[in-house]
């Protein structure tokens, strides 16, 4: 680790060449989302009024072949952590657990960011089987009234279901190295 830090520092002084790859990389895997979070640069109804997002005909998901190539290149540059996120909700991508497994096979520490609405027993089981290291869930409300204001078109059952599923996941993963992080943004 010291050598890599020294290489990064030397690259800063040199200014022309990076002598080491990044410690971590964030990879967007999908632009599909089931919520319209107020602070989201991509789907916020507030931000999009100010800075409209260009219309696209189709949603895009990363292909498994591009993911493998990305993992191989990042691994070759000494990257050790991959953060899986998206301009949308990663759990809407059917092959998200295949992506995690591929990254784990290559030796990456893997973090998945989600809004938590698609957590269910099946997905929790796949998280454990794929050896996901950290699940980070972002919640934009701490009361039903705030949830209704923040997500006027969203299913209100999400407000109750997400915390219950997080409790279930904590029980399923108790004793493992898996870490669950909840970020409450209010």
């Amino acid at each position: 680790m010291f050598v890599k830090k020294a290489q990064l520092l030397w690259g800063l002084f040199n200014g022309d060449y990076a002598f080491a790859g990044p410690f971590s990389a964030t990879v967007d895997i999908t632009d599909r989302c089931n919520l319209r979070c107020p602070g989201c640069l991509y789907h916020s109804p507030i931000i999009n009024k100010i800075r409209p997002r260009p219309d696209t005909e189709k949603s895009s998901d990363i292909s498994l072949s591009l993911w493998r190539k990305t993992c191989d290149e990042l691994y070759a540059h000494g990257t050790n952590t991959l953060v899986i996120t998206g301009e949308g909700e990663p759990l809407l991508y059917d092959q998200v657990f295949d992506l995690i497994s591929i990254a784990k096979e290559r030796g990456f520490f893997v973090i998945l960011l989600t809004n938590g609405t698609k957590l269910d027993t099946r997905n929790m089981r796949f998280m454990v089987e794929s050896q996901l290291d950290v699940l980070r869930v972002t919640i934009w409300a701490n009361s039903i009234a705030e949830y209704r204001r923040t997500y006027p078109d969203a299913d209100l059952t999400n407000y109750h279901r997400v915390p219950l599923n997080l409790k279930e996941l904590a029980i399923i993963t108790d004793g493992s190295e898996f870490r669950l992080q909840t970020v409450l943004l209010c």
Side-chain angles (χ1 to χ4, degrees), residues 21-171:
F23 288 101
S24 68
T26 300
V27 183
D28 289 337
I29 64 167
T30 185
D31 63 359
R32 294 178 290 130
C33 196
N34 59 333
L35 293 179
R36 304 294 174 254
C37 298
C40 177
L41 293 173
Y42 309 105
H43 300 283
S44 167
I46 299 164
I47 294 174
N48 286 332
K49 285 180 185 175
I50 299 166
R51 182 193 49 85
R53 183 176 183 207
D55 289 331
T56 55
E57 292 285 322
K58 293 172 30 176
S59 294
S60 60
D61 295 339
I62 194 169
S63 67
L64 286 177
S65 61
L66 179 56
W67 178 258
R68 283 186 184 94
K69 181 179 177 186
T70 301
C71 286
D72 290 343
E73 289 179 10
L74 288 168
Y75 182 80
H77 288 291
T79 303
N80 52 19
T81 301
L82 286 180
V83 180
I84 299 174
T85 186
E87 293 179 5
E89 169 53 44
L91 291 178
L92 289 175
Y93 181 51
D94 292 337
Q95 296 174 305
V96 65
F97 299 110
D98 294 330
L99 301 181
I100 294 167
S101 295
I102 290 166
K104 292 301 295 177
E105 287 169 7
R106 283 162 176 76
F108 288 103
F109 184 87
V110 181
I111 301 169
L112 175 68
L113 280 61
T114 178
N115 63 32
T117 60
K118 293 297 179 184
L119 285 176
D120 57 25
T121 303
R122 177 182 169 271
N123 283 341
M124 289 184 243
R125 182 172 43 85
F126 284 138
M127 282 179 200
V128 173
E129 289 173 5
S130 67
Q131 300 178 3
L132 178 67
D133 294 294
V134 175
L135 175 69
R136 190 170 294 153
V137 180
T138 303
I139 301 171
W140 283 86
N142 64 3
S143 70
I144 291 175
E146 188 170 8
Y147 191 88
R148 283 187 178 131
R149 283 191 308 274
T150 305
Y151 307 108
D153 300 327
D155 182 356
L156 186 58
T157 60
N158 285 336
Y159 177 78
H160 300 289
R161 187 178 59 241
V162 170
L164 290 174
N165 287 338
L166 292 175
K167 287 178 186 176
E168 181 182 344
L169 183 59
I171 291 167

